[in-house]
Amino acid sequence: MLLLIPVDKKDYANANIARIDEKKAWVTIKMDNGYIEKYSFYDNRDDIEDFVDYLIIKDKNDDIEEFLDDGIDVLIAPFQNDIEEIIEAYKFKELHEI
């Protein structure tokens, strides 16, 4: 399972989710059996070669059409800010679907 999150910096411990139009980078999180297997930061979405299963966004008003067109499901993290909070919410199915 590969998650994609727009973030405000390339620092796993200190990055927070950002609106797509305000992001500084993308982070992909590869999940395996509820655990983080690997994470990677990218400047451009086009650099991501693996299939993304879920885009996690901060705001339901983000422009997500291109992701939906690519077959990527979208989840909203309305209260979670940092990557760890988002991963925990994902594992416990606390993120909202669009």
Side-chain angles (χ1 to χ4, degrees):
M1 188 67 54
L2 192 66
L3 310 177
L4 176 64
I5 306 169
V7 291
D8 62 355
K9 62 184 79 142
K10 288 183 176 181
D11 179 353
Y12 185 87
N14 296 307
N16 288 310
I17 190 169
R19 288 182 47 88
I20 292 173
D21 59 352
E22 297 172 352
K23 62 137 179 54
K24 302 290 187 224
W26 294 100
V27 63
T28 59
I29 311 285
K30 185 171 184 177
M31 301 290 295
D32 186 28
N33 293 322
Y35 295 98
I36 297 173
E37 184 177 293
K38 174 182 160 185
Y39 68 87
S40 302
F41 286 95
Y42 298 90
D43 290 320
N44 299 305
R45 181 176 166 237
D46 295 336
D47 295 337
I48 302 167
E49 295 179 3
D50 296 322
F51 179 78
V52 173
D53 296 288
Y54 289 102
L55 167 67
I56 300 175
I57 59 171
K58 179 178 185 159
D59 186 329
K60 67 179 180 179
N61 295 319
D62 272 344
D63 184 15
I64 57 169
E65 282 302 313
E66 69 180 275
F67 300 94
L68 296 173
D69 290 345
D70 289 344
I72 300 172
D73 292 325
V74 179
L75 300 172
I76 300 175
F79 309 112
Q80 299 79 8
N81 287 313
D82 65 45
I83 295 172
E84 288 295 325
E85 289 176 330
I86 293 167
I87 298 305
E88 283 299 309
Y90 171 77
K91 289 194 300 189
F92 292 104
K93 302 185 185 318
E94 296 173 349
L95 302 176
H96 305 278
E97 287 187 56
I98 287 196

